[in-house]
């Protein structure tokens, strides 16, 4: 019997077209747009100005607060502009635009492919290197990793959980990363264990990636357990994964470390390996370009700042009636209003859906079937929360834990009346969050 | 048996009534009777436009205040404030009438759609998610959050332009729409003579080129209007002109100076007709 989380969940069609595919190096962009806010928290402060020459790995944005992260140049060339550019949402955010000339790396970065296993660094130094390299959660939430590895006083981690579930349909970035870099991932995990001072780590991985499970089992080291999980969405949600692995639930509003767990994405573990062992900052990431709307579903290693359009062209371009282009997976991703936006640290995939797959059906009245209640992995009552939001009854929404919603979209997916449950709950969550902060 | 129950119950009743009487006397709250009278004179819309929690709150504030200078019921306007002044024996100063204006003219022609939104039909939801269906991140989304909060039916979405528009006769300047608009497009401005008004119908803070690309009627921050204005009413902040309605004399020089037609003139006669009307009057 495979382990899984205990409440709710759904199983959408997997559609993993690019499963097991080889990771290809994406073409260098001609012009890279690097945002100063690619993480949760305070945007970084620009430390270069127009006309400066930068190399691959040069620090261009300095962390500007407790929850913030460094930003490095992902290309070499000349800084063309430091100004607000439209990001994935269409709003303008401060960014650094670099005109690419050649591909010259900072000499401190070790570009060799050799595996380094041993290091004399202690926990503090490892966390410092992670902070310097600007590493953030690569699963998509982009929370600065060094902050997560330093739990608040009084709380102690017992276990590191590596999230390799990749429960989003279509996406296969983590799958290919494990197949090609299993040793590096394990070393990265060992580094994370050392950084927080624990002796146990569990890699949670959905059972639909049997070859990846084998690959990891072959190279795993002491204290690391490879745990196959049932393929069920949202298995990769932080709270769901902790429940599946440890059988522990987190109180509303509490941190995962309150039950002794620190969850890191498998992509983050790899980035930690590169940062600590190779001194390489976070300047590229694995992006799946997939869907029925693209000629050749592929997996790219793309520099941060490469435009989405050029990745789509690299994968052969659009096919059929162009519908939606989504950054991320189909469940939690966001539709793009333009493909002329750059890849950021949190872009796990680009999903191209043809017209016939991407329309929303007309919303009807709620028929009280409670399918959404059954599907919600947080044990909430989505239909009640939607109604509370519609009537502006913020007290009712707060009393029913609207802020615990994890935006997974299981409710909207399962609704037979096609009601925009998540749209509404997200709005209410934002409003209630503002009210709670105002009270403090 | 019957007598005992009558005596016991009657006794309890008597003791309770005496207790209640003493308590009611001791803890009596003296409410100014004028609050009730004032409340009756108010329109009872409870819109909150005055800045107080409902009409009762406003009535209490009126009674408490030394003078009525700072107080205004935007719904009832002068007529109601005169009545309130009469009840309270206070003087009311003349207050200028205001009206809501929507500072966006990016209709379907000027501001073409670049994508289609099919989620929840609410401006707040759209603006949280992304910039909107056009290339302008500042313009009217036309999903009617302002329409839903207006208690007076004074604001509506014009289907042909895809913009929110205000019915000046119905608008009471309560300000509910100002708070509801997630793009901060709505402003309460002074209602000029014959409700004439001049304002910049754009909120785009983008640089000139970007703003123009997104919308043909965008303010590009060229500062021509600022130079044309003889009264110093126009200021330019972050690529966007703003006309101070306290200083504006409605001379319309800025309107003709604007290269993108971003400055709106409301309820003016067209130039030629205006001169003809003048000639006729003479």
């Amino acid at each position: 019997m495979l382990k899984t989380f205990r409440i709710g969940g759904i199983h959408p069609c997997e559609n993993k077209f690019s499963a097991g595919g080889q990771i290809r190096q994406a073409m260098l962009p001609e012009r890279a747009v690097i945002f100063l806010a690619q993480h949760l928290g305070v945007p970084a402060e620009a430390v270069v100005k127009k006309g400066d020459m930068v190399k691959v790995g040069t620090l261009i944005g300095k962390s500007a607060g407790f929850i913030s992260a460094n930003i490095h140049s992902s290309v070499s060339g000349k800084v063309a502009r430091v100004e607000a550019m439209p990001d994935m949402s269409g709003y303008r955010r401060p960014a650094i635009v670099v005109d690419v000339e050649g591909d010259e790396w900072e000499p401190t970065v070790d570009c060799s492919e050799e595996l380094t296993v041993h290091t004399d660094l202690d926990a503090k130094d490892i966390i410092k290197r992670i902070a310097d390299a600007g590493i953030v959660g690569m699963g998509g939430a982009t929370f600065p990793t060094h902050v997560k590895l330093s739990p608040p006083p009084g709380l102690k981690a017992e276990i590191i959980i590596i999230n390799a579930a990749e429960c989003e349909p279509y996406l296969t970035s983590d799958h290919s990363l494990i197949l090609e870099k299993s040793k590096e991932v394990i070393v990265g995990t060992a580094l994370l264990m050392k950084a927080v001072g624990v002796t146990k780590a569990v890699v949670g991985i959905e059972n639909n990636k049997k070859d990846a499970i084998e690959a990891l089992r072959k190279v795993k080291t002491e204290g690391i357990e490879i745990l196959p999980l049932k393929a069920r969405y949202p298995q990769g949600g932080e709270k769901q994964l902790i429940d599946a692995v440890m059988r522990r639930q987190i109180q509303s509003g509490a941190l995962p470390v309150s039950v002794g767990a620190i969850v890191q994405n498998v992509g983050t573990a790899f980035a930690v390996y590169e940062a600590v062992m190779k001194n390489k900052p976070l300047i590229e990431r694995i992006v799946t370009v997939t869907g029925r709307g693209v000629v050749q579903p592929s997996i790219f290693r793309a520099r941060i700042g490469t435009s989405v359009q050029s990745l789509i062209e690299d994968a052969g371009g659009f096919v059929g009636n162009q519908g939606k282009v989504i950054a991320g997976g189909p469940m939690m991703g966001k539709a793009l209003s333009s493909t002329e936006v750059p890849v950021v640290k949190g872009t796990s995939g680009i999903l191209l859906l043809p017209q016939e797959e991407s329309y929303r059906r007309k919303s009807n009245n709620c028929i009280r079937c409670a399918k959404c209640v059954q599907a919600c992995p947080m044990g909430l009552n989505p239909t009640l929360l939607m109604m509370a939001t519609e009537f502006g009854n913020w007290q009712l929404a707060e009393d029913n834990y609207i802020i615990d919603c994890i935006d997974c979209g299981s409710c909207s997916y399962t609704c037979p009346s096609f009601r925009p449950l998540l749209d509404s709950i997200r709005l209410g969550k934002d409003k209630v969050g503002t009210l709670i902060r105002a009270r403090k | 048996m019957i007598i005992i129950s009558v005596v016991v119950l009657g006794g309890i009743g008597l003791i309770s009534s005496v207790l209640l009487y003493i308590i009611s006397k001791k803890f009596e709250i003296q409410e100014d009777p004028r609050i009730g009278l004032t409340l009756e004179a108010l329109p009872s819309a409870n819109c909150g436009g005055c800045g107080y929690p409902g009409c009762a709150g406003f009535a209490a504030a009126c009674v408490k205040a030394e003078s009525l200078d700072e107080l205004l019921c935007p719904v009832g306007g002068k007529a109601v404030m005169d009545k309130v002044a009469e009840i309270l024996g206070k003087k009311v100063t003349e207050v200028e009438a205001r009206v809501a204006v929507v500072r966006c003219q990016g209709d379907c022609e000027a501001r073409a759609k670049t994508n289609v939104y099919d989620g929840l039909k609410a401006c707040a939801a759209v603006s949280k998610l992304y910039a909107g269906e056009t290339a302008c991140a500042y313009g009217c989304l036309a999903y009617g959050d302002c329409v839903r909060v207006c208690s007076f039916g004074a604001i509506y979405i014009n289907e042909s332009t895809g913009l929110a528009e205000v019915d000046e006769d119905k608008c009471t300047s309560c300000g509910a729409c100002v708070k509801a608009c997630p793009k901060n497009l709505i402003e309460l401005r002074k209602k000029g003579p014959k409700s004439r008004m001049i304002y910049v119908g754009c909120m785009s803070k983008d640089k000139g080129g970007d703003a123009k690309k997104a919308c043909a009627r965008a303010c590009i921050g060229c500062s021509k209007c600022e130079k044309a204005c003889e009264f110093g009413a126009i200021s330019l902040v972050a690529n966007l002109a703003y006309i101070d309605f306290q200083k504006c004399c409605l001379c319309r020089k800025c309107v003709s100076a604007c290269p993108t037609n971003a400055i709106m003139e409301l309820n003016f006669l067209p130039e030629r007709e205006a001169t003809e009307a003048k000639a006729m009057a003479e």
Side-chain angles (χ1 to χ4, degrees):
Chain A
M1 191 51 190
L2 289 167
K3 281 192 168 179
T4 182
F5 53 96
R6 286 171 289 182
I7 306 170
I10 52 173
H11 187 68
C13 192
E14 285 173 18
N15 285 327
K16 305 238 182 202
F17 304 135
S18 50
Q22 216 177 358
I23 301 174
R24 278 160 57 193
Q25 186 70 43
M27 276 194 292
L28 267 185
E30 280 172 18
R31 165 171 276 205
V33 179
I34 304 161
F35 284 105
L36 288 168
Q38 301 186 32
H39 45 263
L40 280 180
V42 191
E45 268 168 25
V47 291
V48 288
K49 54 186 189 303
K50 189 181 166 178
D52 284 0
M53 296 302 288
V54 291
K55 290 178 186 165
V56 181
T58 310
L59 184 75
I60 54 174
K62 204 167 169 6
S63 162
F66 178 62
I67 299 181
S68 185
N70 284 339
I71 305 282
H72 299 81
S73 176
S74 58
V75 290
S76 66
K78 198 172 178 183
V79 177
R81 271 180 287 166
V82 180
E83 66 170 30
M85 299 287 287
D87 74 351
M88 295 216 167
S89 65
Y91 289 114
R92 281 168 192 273
R93 310 259 189 244
I96 291 169
V97 185
V98 184
D99 280 333
V100 180
E101 292 165 20
D103 193 28
E104 199 183 330
W105 289 60
E106 283 282 340
T108 48
V109 181
D110 175 4
C111 294
S112 68
E113 287 285 313
E114 250 169 80
L115 182 77
T116 321
V117 183
H118 294 290
T119 175
D120 297 328
L121 297 171
D122 64 1
K124 227 172 150 188
D125 289 333
I126 293 174
I127 293 179
K128 187 171 178 303
R129 282 215 177 174
I130 290 171
D132 287 345
I135 293 180
V136 300
M138 302 293 276
T142 64
F143 189 82
T145 301
H146 64 277
V147 183
K148 216 172 177 181
L149 293 177
S150 327
L155 294 175
K156 178 86 186 77
E158 300 163 20
I159 179 176
I160 291 273
I161 299 177
I162 298 295
N163 181 357
E166 201 159 51
C167 56
E168 276 269 4
Y170 291 94
L171 302 188
T172 64
S173 306
D174 294 350
H175 187 176
S176 291
L177 176 72
I178 295 169
L179 288 180
E180 291 185 16
K181 304 280 180 190
S182 54
K183 285 176 191 153
E184 285 85 347
V185 166
I186 294 294
V187 175
T189 308
L191 286 171
L192 286 168
M193 287 158 70
K194 198 171 174 187
V196 286
V198 296
T199 51
K200 194 170 176 241
V202 176
V203 181
I205 178 164
E206 278 192 354
N207 202 33
N208 54 9
K209 294 181 268 291
K210 295 215 163 60
D211 46 353
I213 296 171
E214 270 319 299
L216 283 174
R217 281 202 169 136
K218 249 183 241 164
V219 296
K220 71 171 183 167
T221 51
E222 205 187 329
I224 301 175
E225 185 195 342
I226 313 299
L227 183 68
L229 300 167
K230 194 171 166 191
R232 190 156 181 80
Y233 180 86
Q235 196 69 266
E238 195 168 46
K239 290 173 177 138
Q240 282 65 38
L241 193 61
I242 291 171
D243 188 32
V245 173
M246 302 174 78
R247 281 281 175 270
R248 288 183 189 172
Q249 300 250 330
I250 301 161
Q251 231 181 353
S252 173
L255 291 171
V257 74
S258 68
V259 297
I262 290 181
V263 181
Q264 294 289 353
N265 187 268
V266 61
T268 316
F270 179 67
V272 164
Y273 163 78
E274 288 201 312
V276 178
M277 298 302 198
K278 302 281 182 190
N279 219 350
K280 183 178 161 191
L282 185 54
I283 51 140
E284 52 186 10
R285 71 154 298 139
I286 316 270
V287 184
T288 313
V289 180
T290 183
R292 290 194 177 85
V294 70
V295 175
Q296 178 62 52
S298 338
I299 303 147
F300 292 108
R301 180 178 295 110
R303 298 281 173 87
I304 306 292
T306 313
S307 88
V308 166
Q309 179 66 33
S310 76
L311 283 186
I312 294 170
E313 279 162 18
D314 250 4
F318 292 101
V319 63
N321 291 331
Q322 188 189 334
K324 275 182 187 168
V325 180
I326 295 168
M331 298 302 294
M332 289 193 65
K334 264 179 85 174
L336 296 176
S337 50
S338 157
T339 51
E340 285 303 332
V341 291
V343 167
V344 292
K345 287 178 181 176
T347 313
S348 49
I350 306 291
L351 173 61
L352 286 86
L353 295 177
Q355 192 79 51
E356 55 273 20
E357 282 181 1
S358 62
Y359 71 98
R360 270 201 179 188
R361 272 171 280 200
K362 197 180 160 289
S363 145
N364 294 311
N365 290 341
C366 174
I367 57 168
R368 298 281 193 277
C369 67
K371 270 190 161 181
C372 54
V373 181
Q374 207 172 19
C376 180
M378 293 304 293
L380 307 176
N381 182 347
T383 177
L384 176 73
L385 295 178
M386 179 174 181
M387 237 169 337
T389 305
E390 273 181 350
F391 291 112
N393 192 340
W394 309 124
Q395 191 59 49
L396 181 68
E398 191 185 339
D399 292 347
N400 285 282
Y401 300 98
I402 195 168
I403 44 170
D404 281 2
C405 167
I406 58 166
D407 277 31
C408 72
S410 300
C411 49
S412 298
Y413 175 86
T414 195
C415 181
S417 280
F418 314 114
R419 291 173 70 71
L421 286 153
L422 179 60
D423 299 59
S424 196
I425 292 171
R426 216 187 266 139
L427 189 63
K429 188 166 67 164
D430 190 68
K431 180 80 191 171
V432 170
T434 316
L435 289 175
I436 290 173
R437 277 194 299 278
R439 268 208 302 268
K440 273 177 190 164
Chain B
M1 200 57 194
I2 292 169
I3 294 169
I4 293 173
S5 22
V6 168
V7 169
V8 169
L9 282 174
I12 292 172
L14 204 68
I15 294 165
S16 310
S17 60
V18 170
L19 269 175
L20 279 173
Y21 178 77
I22 294 166
I23 290 167
S24 74
K25 275 289 159 204
K26 184 147 191 189
F27 297 104
E28 191 181 357
I29 295 167
Q30 287 280 344
E31 202 203 46
D32 198 321
R34 291 178 301 170
I35 292 179
L37 288 172
T38 313
L39 189 55
E40 272 170 35
L42 293 173
S44 308
N46 288 319
C47 64
C50 51
Y52 291 91
C55 294
F58 181 68
C62 284
V63 173
K64 211 173 153 195
E66 302 248 309
S67 78
L68 294 176
D69 286 354
E70 297 289 306
L71 297 159
L72 169 71
C73 170
V75 178
K78 193 173 179 308
V80 163
M81 288 316 290
D82 281 344
K83 250 192 242 169
V84 171
E86 202 179 303
I87 294 165
L88 302 176
K90 288 171 187 167
K91 252 193 168 169
V92 62
T93 45
E94 188 74 39
V95 279
E96 60 193 20
R98 293 204 177 176
V99 67
V101 296
V102 181
R103 289 177 290 174
C104 176
Q105 331 168 51
D107 53 24
C108 314
E109 227 170 82
R111 185 172 60 128
K113 279 196 176 182
T114 55
N115 61 87
V116 180
Y117 173 76
D118 59 1
L120 185 71
K121 303 268 183 279
C123 305
V126 182
S127 71
K128 269 276 158 252
L129 200 62
Y130 79 126
E133 286 173 289
T134 66
C136 174
Y138 303 89
C140 180
L141 299 165
Y143 283 112
D145 281 14
C146 49
V147 180
R148 278 189 284 279
V149 296
C150 184
S151 318
F152 309 99
I155 197 162
Y156 57 94
I157 304 294
N158 185 332
E159 292 296 333
S160 63
T161 58
L163 295 172
E165 281 175 21
V166 178
D167 184 335
E168 287 147 46
D169 298 329
K170 288 186 187 162
C171 177
T172 59
S173 69
C174 71
C177 53
V178 177
K179 281 181 214 144
C181 180
K183 299 274 185 192
N184 283 323
L185 287 174
I186 307 177
E187 189 195 14
L188 298 178
R189 289 182 75 91
K190 185 170 84 176
K191 209 171 183 175
K194 294 188 188 157
S195 44
R196 286 176 175 170
M197 277 179 290
I198 292 178
Y199 61 92
V200 180
C202 181
M203 284 297 277
S204 172
K205 293 185 181 70
D206 282 353
K207 280 186 182 165
D210 294 330
K212 188 79 201 284
K213 222 183 277 171
C215 176
R217 294 193 71 177
C219 171
I220 54 173
C222 66
S223 82
K224 276 187 182 156
C225 52
E226 194 183 9
K227 282 171 200 137
C229 184
E230 290 164 12
F231 308 97
I234 303 182
S235 55
L236 197 73
V237 182
N239 304 314
L240 180 63
Y242 177 75
I243 303 176
D244 184 344
F245 52 82
Q246 300 294 11
K247 290 185 191 158
C248 177
C249 297
L250 304 174
C251 72
R252 300 161 82 188
K253 282 205 175 111
C254 53
V255 179
S256 43
C258 181
T260 57
N261 270 331
I263 300 180
M264 288 276 279
E265 43 174 17
L266 273 192
N267 304 315
F268 282 93
L269 291 168
E271 286 282 2
R272 197 205 271 156
E273 279 178 46
T275 36
E276 275 170 17
K278 220 178 193 176
M280 287 273 278
E282 278 168 10

